[in-house]
């Protein structure tokens, strides 16, 4: 004992008492776990760990009160960083175009389809609903200013989950037996990671995904600690069940959550493999371990995932833009799409509607518009909505010339296989027709054009004739295989003269075809695309008590499975290139980001924190190198794995590296459109791994030195964050600072969008959001002068105040600095509201045209806004002829010419009264607002 050390003597007991007995002082807390060797051996044979000799915290989390205070401060800092300027910008940012629109659909209960599961969208919708959103904002374009939308509350949800991810990172590393300094470093890295900050501040799905990924990792680490200590306790079951619930939540946000399930799944397999090799574990106990994990980690996530879709279906109870992606049976479960019972029998003379089987069940359709080329006969299309232009009448082609045959009075003649029929379009009285002319879009030799040909009273020709070929019927209806039966028989129509089959596929006609689906006659038709069925059938000779049928509505499981197939197919179809997409090999090196928003000389650009990003990538490479070296040393006989420190950090870093790999490497197998934000779940694991490497490298240092090193890294991370923070918050920045911040040439944020100096933002702020108004005065003889707005002078003044405008326009032309949302696979698909004009559809068309602005007018069913942009009306086409169209266009041209005429100064003085009249007329034409006020 050192001479400077002095043993402390116990305090003297109070008078009248004595020291406690030695046994009581030596063992102040006697425990039942102090068993003899036989008892310990019996416990081990049942799979229980040895008895405890000290207090064991639940989940291995031995958090001190000081750490709880530190954790509270960390959360406050995270709130400050994530919630700062959350209301800015007050306009739509990046994929808020899609996910805000989905929230509107939920509130309006209109069915839609998305490639992502519904949980994150439901949470965002809940926030919007609580704060009074009515769903009447369209989220149409990036930069569109929010009006009557609680967008701050909607952004608050992903921001709050982003804040909650920070303490989860701290607790996870503590559960993995890392030091408090290491956990603090990981928390600071995640707080000041620019990419995660940017992503969590908007109405996007990645912040909930990262949160539930972190939550799953934390719960799993807690369960593993419980499992090492004592299995099958209440605490053990709690951690395991919470892990299963979190797995269900992460996969219910995005299918990327399947990678988190794979991470936990590999850990479970490793645990079960070790249990299987432990001879102390009897088979019955092993089966118990297996069943517990299967129940909590397979059954619970599946039930939770399906429950989210049950809520999804319950809310979206009405017909909407997503109907066209679902089967006919599915569509009829939605409000507004129900159908009355229809006759089961189909006979000659029946009025029928015919639907395609394979491409979401569009109707065989025609309208009074012709093809611009080819035969120039009437168009035949596939149309997704109910309409009178979908109605056809079936005739027997072998007896239609027989004057004695009358289908209205003759006995019923059912349509049987091989019957030669004609289909007459009821509205236009033309026959379904085909001939050896190439179709307008699928211009190949084996495809023929399909048109409507004829006139009222015309019997038709042989090109109108089709053979009926029944493909199969319904097992519930034996007659459906012998003759056409409504909703029960799937059949093909073969053209009599050319032998081609009536065919449709997912090819759209151009604007002149109202973007409806092309119908052709295909000599090499794929069977699935040439199958049709009859949806409704009526006949005057059928009695009212004749057999009727209707769709067999699918239950929840059928709807759930069908939607999963649609999501999988459409997700794989996201292959179009995007201006800011990237491939996985560029993510760990932070080669480029994503332009989210550009407006008012500000920009939001998703880019990571370079220090955090590169340290995490370096830690991945270091772990791979060191692990490979350890394997080589083990082959040479070195016993590194006998060292407890090596075993500890190998298990810790191996788990995190596996999580990174499973969340990153699968993207190399995907050909779909990918962005930098797809790397964020892998980045979370990489950040934890980099901090674990820090824990290992500083394990031999004194705590104060370790804290100093961590403080230096945290300061550097904060400086990196601050350096690029204007891109995260969309705050003012200068062009020179922006250029200096481009550390890599591949960082393609546009510096031309910023002002040269901060003072220009103050001037612009005073003139915005409304354009500066310049007034001019018109003197009138003998009357008060008129003060009106001089729009031309205002434009000139605005251009003078914005010297960088030309550069900004140039960069926009080059595609730089223009924010674009990620591609919506459902845009431009059957979700479009295509309307038809004839019959009842005229009312539908009027409903669509009602909310149009006064600047839009209808010309031949094409809406032409009187700007430089032309858009196609979502209409099928009216009954106006080409001559009427030309006449209407001519009238509009003449009106435009009259409007564009400018007054010419008179060379001869006019009388005072006449001059005054001319002046008033000119003022009224140029300044209608002032004239109205006068």
């Amino acid at each position: 004992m050192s001479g400077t050390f002095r043993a402390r003597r116990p305090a003297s007991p109070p008078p009248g008492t004595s020291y406690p007995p030695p046994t009581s002082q030596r063992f102040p807390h006697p425990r039942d776990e102090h068993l003899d060797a036989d008892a310990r051996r019996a416990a081990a044979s049942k799979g229980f760990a040895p008895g405890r000799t000290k207090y064991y915290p639940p989940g291995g989390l031995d958090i001190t009160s000081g750490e709880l205070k530190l954790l509270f401060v960390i959360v406050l800092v995270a709130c400050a960083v994530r919630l700062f300027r959350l209301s800015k910008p007050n306009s739509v940012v990046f994929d808020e175009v899609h996910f805000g629109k989905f929230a509107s659909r939920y509130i309006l209960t209109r069915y839609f389809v998305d490639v992502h599961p519904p949980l994150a969208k439901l949470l965002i919708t809940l926030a919007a609903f609580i704060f009074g959103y009515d769903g009447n904002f369209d989220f149409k374009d990036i930069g569109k200013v929010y009006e009557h939308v609680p967008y701050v509350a909607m952004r608050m949800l992903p921001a709050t989950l982003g804040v909650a991810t920070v303490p989860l990172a701290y607790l996870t590393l503590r559960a993995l037996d890392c030091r408090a300094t290491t956990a603090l470093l990981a928390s600071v890295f995640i707080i000041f990671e620019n990419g995660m900050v940017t992503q969590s501040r908007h109405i996007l799905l990645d912040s909930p995904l990262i949160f539930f990924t972190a939550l799953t990792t934390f719960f799993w680490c807690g369960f593993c600690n419980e499992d090492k200590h004592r299995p099958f306790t209440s605490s053990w079951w709690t951690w395991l069940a919470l892990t299963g619930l979190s797995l269900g939540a992460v996969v219910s946000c995005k299918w990327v959550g399947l990678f988190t399930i794979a991470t936990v799944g590999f850990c479970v397999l490793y645990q079960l493999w070790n249990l299987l090799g432990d001879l102390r574990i009897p088979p019955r106990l092993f089966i118990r371990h297996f069943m517990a994990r299967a129940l909590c980690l397979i059954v619970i996530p599946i039930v939770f995932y399906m429950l989210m879709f049950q809520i999804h279906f319950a809310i979206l109870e009405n017909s909407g833009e997503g109907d066209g992606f679902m089967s006919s049976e599915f569509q009829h479960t939605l409000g507004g799409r129900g159908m009355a019972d229809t006759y089961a029998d189909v006979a000659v003379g029946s009025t029928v509607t015919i639907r395609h089987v394979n491409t979401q069940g569009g109707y065989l359709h025609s309208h009074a518009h012709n093809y611009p080329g080819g035969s120039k006969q009437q168009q035949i299309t596939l149309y997704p909505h109910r309409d009178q232009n979908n109605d056809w009448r079936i005739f027997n082609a072998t007896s239609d010339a027989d004057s004695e045959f009358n289908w209205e009075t003759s006995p019923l003649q059912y349509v049987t296989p091989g019957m030669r029929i004609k289909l007459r379009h009821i509205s236009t009285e033309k026959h379904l027709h085909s001939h050896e002319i190439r179709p307008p879009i699928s211009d190949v030799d084996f495809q023929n054009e399909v048109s409507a040909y004829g006139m009222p009273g015309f019997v038709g020709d042989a090109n109108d004739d089709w053979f009926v070929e029944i493909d199969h019927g319904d097992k519930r209806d034996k007659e459906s295989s012998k003759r056409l039966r409504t909703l029960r028989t799937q059949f093909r129509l073969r053209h009599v003269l050319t032998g081609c089959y009536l065919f449709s596929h997912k090819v759209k006609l151009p604007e002149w075809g109202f973007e409806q689906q092309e119908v052709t006659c295909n000599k090499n038709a794929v069977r699935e695309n040439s199958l049709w069925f009859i949806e409704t059938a009526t006949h005057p000779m059928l009695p009212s008590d004749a057999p009727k049928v209707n769709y067999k509505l699918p239950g929840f499981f059928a709807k759930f499975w069908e939607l999963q197939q649609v999501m999988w197919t459409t997700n794989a179809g996201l292959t179009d290139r995007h201006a800011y997409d990237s491939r996985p090999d560029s993510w760990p090196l932070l080669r480029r980001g994503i332009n989210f928003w550009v407006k008012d000389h500000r920009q939001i650009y998703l880019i990571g924190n370079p220090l955090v990003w590169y340290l995490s990538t370096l830690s991945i490479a270091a772990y791979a190198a060191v692990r490979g070296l350890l394997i080589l040393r083990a082959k040479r006989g070195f016993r590194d794995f006998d060292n407890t420190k090596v075993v500890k950090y190998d298990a810790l870093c191996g788990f995190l590296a596996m999580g990174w790999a499973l969340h990153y490497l699968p993207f190399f197998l995907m050909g779909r459109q990918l962005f930098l934000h797809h790397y964020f779940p892998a980045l979370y694991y990489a950040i934890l791994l980099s901090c674990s490497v820090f824990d290992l490298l500083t394990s031999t240092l004194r705590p104060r030195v370790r804290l100093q090193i961590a403080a230096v890294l945290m300061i550097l991370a904060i400086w990196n964050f601050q350096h690029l923070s204007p891109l995260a918050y969309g705050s003012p920045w200068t062009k020179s600072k922006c250029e200096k911040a481009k550390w890599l040439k591949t960082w393609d944020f546009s510096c031309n969008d910023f002002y040269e100096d901060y003072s220009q933002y103050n001037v612009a702020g005073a003139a915005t959001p409304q354009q500066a108004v310049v007034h001019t005065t018109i003197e009138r003889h003998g009357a008060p002068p008129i003060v009106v707005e001089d729009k031309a002078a205002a434009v000139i003044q605005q251009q003078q105040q914005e010297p960088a405008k030309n550069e900004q326009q140039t960069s926009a032309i080059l595609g730089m600095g223009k924010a674009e949302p990620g591609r919506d696979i459902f845009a431009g698909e059957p979700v479009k509201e295509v309307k038809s004009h004839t019959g009842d559809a005229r009312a539908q068309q009027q409903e669509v045209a009602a909310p149009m602005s006064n600047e839009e007018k209808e010309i031949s069913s094409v809406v032409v806004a009187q700007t430089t942009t032309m858009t196609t009306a979502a209409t099928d086409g009216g009954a106006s002829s080409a001559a009427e169209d030309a006449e209407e266009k001519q009238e509009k041209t003449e009106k435009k010419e009259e409007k564009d005429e400018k007054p010419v100064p008179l060379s001869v003085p006019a009388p005072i009264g006449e001059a005054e009249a001319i002046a008033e007329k000119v003022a009224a034409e140029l300044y209608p607002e002032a004239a109205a006020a006068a």
Side-chain angles (χ1 to χ4, degrees):
M1 182 177 293
S2 172
T4 61
F5 179 84
R6 185 174 66 179
R8 185 173 181 179
R9 185 177 60 187
S12 301
T17 62
S18 61
Y19 287 101
T23 55
S24 174
Q25 183 179 4
R26 185 174 182 182
F27 301 105
H29 301 290
R31 297 178 179 272
D32 297 334
E33 286 89 345
H34 294 285
L35 307 175
D36 57 17
D38 292 335
R40 288 197 298 270
R41 189 177 299 109
S45 66
K46 297 179 181 179
F48 295 105
R52 292 184 296 182
T53 58
K54 64 177 183 178
Y55 170 73
Y56 186 86
L61 288 173
D62 193 4
I63 305 296
T64 64
S65 59
E67 284 186 87
L68 292 177
K69 296 177 182 178
L70 175 63
L71 204 55
F72 179 74
V73 174
I74 289 173
V75 172
L76 289 181
V77 175
C79 289
V81 173
R82 292 293 199 277
L83 305 182
F84 176 65
R85 288 172 53 91
L86 191 64
S87 61
K88 305 295 182 181
N90 63 341
S91 55
V92 180
V93 177
F94 194 54
D95 275 354
E96 288 183 346
V97 167
H98 302 315
F99 303 123
K101 178 182 68 176
F102 295 151
S104 299
R105 298 296 180 268
Y106 274 125
I107 291 176
L108 297 175
T109 68
R110 296 176 183 171
Y111 187 78
F112 69 90
V113 176
D114 182 32
V115 294
H116 302 301
L119 175 59
K121 298 190 291 288
L122 287 171
L123 293 174
I124 292 172
T125 304
L126 178 62
F129 179 76
I130 290 175
F131 284 86
Y133 178 46
D134 58 4
N136 290 321
F137 187 80
D138 57 11
F139 293 88
K140 186 177 181 181
D141 300 308
I142 291 178
K144 183 173 182 178
V145 178
Y146 285 118
E147 296 178 356
H148 309 294
V149 180
Y151 68 96
V152 177
M154 298 172 73
R155 289 176 179 174
M156 183 68 72
L157 183 119
T160 303
L161 296 182
V163 170
T165 305
V166 175
L168 283 177
Y170 185 98
L171 296 174
T172 300
L173 286 180
R174 295 293 286 130
L176 290 171
D177 200 23
C178 289
R179 296 169 178 82
T181 304
T182 303
L184 174 63
L185 181 63
S187 300
V188 172
F189 277 179
I190 291 178
I191 289 175
F192 295 100
E193 209 298 298
N194 297 62
M196 290 185 176
V197 170
T198 306
Q199 196 73 16
S200 66
R201 290 171 47 80
H202 303 105
I203 307 172
L204 305 172
L205 306 187
D206 292 273
S207 185
L209 173 69
I210 298 170
F211 167 75
F212 286 115
T213 300
L215 187 65
T216 302
T217 306
F218 169 65
F219 284 150
W220 175 250
C221 293
F223 166 74
C224 290
N225 291 335
E226 288 289 336
D227 191 57
K228 292 175 184 176
H229 169 62
R230 178 177 291 177
F232 300 111
T233 62
S234 59
S235 180
W236 184 90
W237 279 105
T238 300
W239 285 100
L240 186 59
L242 289 175
T243 303
L245 286 173
S246 186
L247 283 175
V250 70
V251 76
S252 296
C253 289
K254 276 189 171 184
W255 276 355
V256 176
L258 291 170
F259 303 152
T260 309
I261 292 179
T263 302
V264 175
F266 276 109
C267 294
V268 169
L269 292 177
Y270 180 76
Q271 288 180 349
L272 293 177
W273 182 256
N274 288 335
L275 288 173
L276 188 63
D278 191 345
L279 298 180
R280 298 172 301 173
I281 306 298
R284 180 173 295 179
L285 183 58
F286 174 82
I287 293 175
R288 190 180 177 191
H289 275 279
F290 176 84
M291 295 303 296
R293 287 164 172 81
L295 172 65
C296 293
L297 303 181
I298 297 178
V299 176
I300 289 180
I302 291 176
V303 171
F304 186 94
Y305 181 75
M306 297 179 73
L307 178 62
M308 293 300 103
F309 279 93
Q310 178 66 48
I311 298 173
H312 177 80
F313 293 142
I315 295 176
L316 302 178
E317 59 183 2
N318 295 312
S319 176
E321 62 183 18
D323 294 8
F325 294 91
M326 313 309 296
S327 67
S328 303
E329 292 80 5
F330 190 108
Q331 293 178 24
H332 282 78
T333 64
L334 303 172
R337 293 302 297 262
M339 185 182 75
D341 292 347
T342 184
Y343 287 109
D345 293 317
V346 180
V348 174
S350 291
T351 300
V352 297
T353 57
I354 302 174
R355 299 196 71 170
H356 197 236
V357 172
N358 199 34
T359 54
Q360 286 82 38
Y363 293 90
L364 186 65
H365 177 91
S366 186
H367 43 242
H369 284 265
N370 298 338
Y371 292 114
S375 67
K376 297 187 178 180
Q377 295 174 4
Q378 187 169 296
Q379 298 173 13
I380 297 292
T381 64
L382 210 64
Y383 180 66
H385 305 288
R386 293 177 183 171
D387 188 272
Q388 286 187 351
N389 281 333
N390 304 333
D391 293 341
W392 301 82
R393 178 164 286 120
I394 301 177
F395 289 96
N396 190 335
T398 59
S399 60
D400 58 358
D402 187 356
S403 59
E404 297 181 0
F405 178 79
N406 187 348
W407 58 269
E408 295 180 303
T409 58
S410 301
L412 289 175
Q413 184 181 4
Y414 295 120
V415 180
T416 56
M419 179 178 286
R420 183 168 175 168
I421 66 170
K422 294 181 186 291
L423 290 173
R424 179 181 297 173
H425 190 241
I426 293 179
S427 296
T428 60
E429 298 191 41
K430 296 183 179 182
H431 293 108
L432 185 69
H433 183 91
S434 185
H435 37 227
E436 288 287 352
I437 296 177
R438 302 289 77 79
I441 304 300
S442 302
D443 189 3
V444 290
D445 292 339
F446 57 86
Q447 296 261 38
N448 289 343
E449 179 190 83
V450 174
S451 63
Y453 174 71
M455 64 185 67
F458 178 60
V459 178
D461 58 28
N463 279 326
D464 303 337
D465 295 355
W466 304 82
F467 285 124
V468 176
E469 295 182 1
I470 291 181
D471 185 82
H472 66 276
D474 194 324
K475 296 180 180 178
R476 297 168 298 170
D477 185 356
K478 295 182 180 179
E479 292 295 320
S480 62
S481 300
K482 303 175 183 177
R483 54 187 173 92
L484 282 191
R485 297 271 285 181
T486 307
L487 297 176
R488 301 289 188 261
T489 305
Q490 294 189 9
F491 62 94
R492 306 172 79 188
L493 291 177
R494 178 167 55 88
H495 193 246
V496 172
L497 297 185
T498 61
C500 57
Y501 286 91
L502 190 66
F503 175 89
S504 186
H505 49 175
K506 291 184 179 180
V507 173
K508 296 296 186 64
L509 295 174
E511 294 179 0
W512 53 257
F514 313 101
E515 298 185 3
Q516 296 178 14
Q517 201 164 307
E518 182 187 43
V519 175
T520 66
C521 195
N522 195 330
K523 298 177 183 177
N524 300 325
V526 177
R527 173 181 167 273
E528 289 76 10
N529 283 347
S530 60
L531 289 177
W532 306 82
F533 70 95
I534 293 175
E535 182 180 78
T536 62
T538 59
H539 196 288
M541 297 297 294
L542 287 172
S544 58
D545 59 348
K548 293 185 177 182
V549 293
N550 207 327
Y551 282 103
K552 181 183 179 182
L553 301 183
F556 166 74
F557 290 103
K559 292 170 61 178
F560 170 80
W561 182 245
E562 180 180 343
L563 182 54
Q564 304 309 302
Q565 292 175 317
V566 170
M567 291 167 59
W568 176 269
T569 303
T570 50
N571 195 19
L574 286 166
T575 56
D576 286 358
R577 294 305 306 272
H578 186 275
Y580 289 93
D581 65 0
S582 55
R583 298 309 301 169
D585 57 341
S586 68
W587 298 342
L589 300 178
L590 196 61
R591 298 283 294 171
R592 71 180 309 208
I594 311 171
N595 194 6
F596 270 21
W597 178 87
V598 178
K599 192 177 181 182
D600 299 331
H601 296 278
R602 293 172 172 85
Q603 184 176 10
I604 295 178
Y605 185 91
L606 180 74
I607 194 72
N609 187 313
L611 176 73
V612 176
W613 214 277
Y614 293 135
L615 279 180
S616 64
T617 302
L618 183 62
S619 66
I620 295 291
Y623 170 76
V626 172
R627 193 64 171 84
L629 179 63
L630 290 176
I631 293 174
L632 291 176
R633 285 173 58 86
K635 284 294 184 182
R636 299 295 296 173
F638 291 91
R639 305 178 66 85
D640 296 317
F641 288 99
D642 290 344
N643 188 326
T644 56
K645 178 184 287 189
V646 172
V647 172
K648 170 189 171 181
Y649 284 102
D650 177 66
L652 168 60
C653 296
F655 167 68
L656 297 175
M658 179 183 66
W660 172 85
L662 290 176
H663 284 79
Y664 171 62
L665 298 180
F667 286 107
F668 283 95
L669 305 177
M670 300 182 187
R672 58 153 289 173
Q673 188 183 84
L674 296 173
F675 295 93
L676 180 65
H677 60 73
H678 287 107
Y679 184 66
F680 283 164
L683 177 65
Y684 176 79
Y685 283 98
I687 291 174
L688 297 188
L689 177 60
S690 65
C691 295
S692 301
V693 172
F694 167 83
D695 194 85
L696 170 62
L697 296 178
T698 59
S699 59
T700 58
L701 302 178
R702 288 182 298 174
R704 177 174 296 180
V705 176
R706 183 186 308 113
L707 182 59
Q708 291 171 348
I709 297 174
V712 172
L713 293 176
M714 288 186 279
I715 292 172
L716 290 175
I718 295 172
W719 182 86
N720 276 266
F721 170 79
Q722 180 273 336
H723 192 64
L724 296 171
S725 61
L727 294 176
Y729 295 118
S731 54
W733 213 17
T734 63
K735 189 180 299 184
S736 59
K737 288 188 176 182
C738 175
E739 293 290 352
K740 292 179 182 178
K742 279 193 174 183
W743 294 347
L744 295 180
K745 294 181 179 179
T746 53
W747 290 1
D748 49 0
F749 46 85
S750 177
C751 294
N752 290 328
D753 290 319
F754 299 100
Y755 281 124
E756 296 285 354
D757 189 78
Y758 285 111
S759 61
Q760 293 178 274
Y761 285 98
N762 298 329
V763 176
T768 56
Q770 294 183 353
Q771 182 179 343
V773 179
V774 180
H775 295 90
T776 186
T777 303
I778 298 179
E779 298 291 344
R780 299 192 299 166
H781 179 75
I786 301 176
V787 180
V788 297
E789 177 186 350
D790 192 339
K791 298 183 179 179
V795 171
I796 294 173
Q797 180 175 341
Q798 184 184 15
Q799 291 176 348
Q800 292 174 350
Q801 292 177 355
E802 297 181 0
K805 185 174 182 179
N806 293 333
E807 295 181 5
Q808 184 179 2
Q809 290 176 347
T810 303
S811 64
I813 293 173
L814 296 176
M816 300 296 295
K818 181 180 179 182
E820 298 180 2
R823 184 194 169 201
D824 184 2
I825 185 66
F826 305 103
E829 293 290 341
V831 297
K832 278 197 171 184
E833 284 295 329
V834 184
K835 300 297 180 184
S836 178
H837 282 199
T838 307
D840 295 339
R842 290 185 181 273
Q844 297 175 359
Q845 190 266 338
Q846 291 172 1
E847 292 175 1
V848 174
M852 291 183 180
S853 66
N854 294 330
E855 296 180 352
E856 295 182 350
K857 298 181 180 180
E858 183 177 349
I859 304 176
S860 302
S861 306
V862 178
V863 174
V864 181
Q866 294 186 9
T867 63
T868 56
T869 304
M870 179 177 293
T871 56
T872 303
T875 57
D876 170 31
S880 61
S881 64
E884 293 171 342
D885 294 343
E887 182 180 353
E888 188 176 1
K889 290 180 181 178
Q890 180 66 24
E891 291 176 0
K892 290 183 178 292
T893 304
E894 292 174 357
K895 290 181 180 178
K896 186 177 186 300
E897 290 175 354
E898 292 175 1
K899 185 177 181 180
D900 292 342
E901 288 180 355
K902 302 299 180 185
V904 180
L906 298 176
S907 58
V908 180
I912 295 177
E914 184 178 351
E916 182 179 351
I918 293 174
E920 290 181 352
K921 182 179 180 181
V922 172
E925 270 194 37
L926 294 179
Y927 307 98
E929 301 91 346

